[in-house]
């Protein structure tokens, strides 16, 4: 956990709108990783897609279970 908190791409507690504000002006492929504001214990990735629009992805996590991104478990 401590190593994750130190990463440049990890931004802690941000809303989706705050994430968009931080990524505005960044090129496609830019992203940030944050705690999910709507699902405690989970994470969210906000990214700039190929067309310059923003996409949000939730990484679900529950204690003792794997991480889930869409239908992919890891």
């Amino acid at each position: 956990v401590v190593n994750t908190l130190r990463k440049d791409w990890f931004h802690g507690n941000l809303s989706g709108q705050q994430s968009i504000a931080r990524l505005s002006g960044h090129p496609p492929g830019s992203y940030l990783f944050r705690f999910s504001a709507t699902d405690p214990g989970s994470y969210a990735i906000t990214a700039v897609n190929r067309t310059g629009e923003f996409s949000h992805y939730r990484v679900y996590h529950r204690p003792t279970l794997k991480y889930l991104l869409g239908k992919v478990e890891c």
Side-chain angles (χ1 to χ4, degrees), residues 10-69:
F10 187 76
H11 289 254
N13 289 320
L14 288 181
S15 69
Q17 292 295 63
Q18 290 170 315
S19 299
I20 290 170
R22 286 208 184 165
L23 287 172
S24 291
H26 285 78
S30 299
Y31 68 94
L32 62 81
F33 198 81
R34 60 192 169 87
F35 292 121
S36 172
T38 57
D39 192 15
S42 297
Y43 302 92
I45 300 168
T46 301
V48 184
N49 68 22
R50 290 181 199 158
T51 62
E53 296 175 337
F54 300 96
S55 299
H56 303 283
Y57 305 94
R58 187 161 299 128
V59 180
Y60 293 96
H61 180 66
R62 297 287 182 265
T64 71
L65 299 177
K66 295 181 177 184
Y67 291 91
L68 182 64
L69 177 59

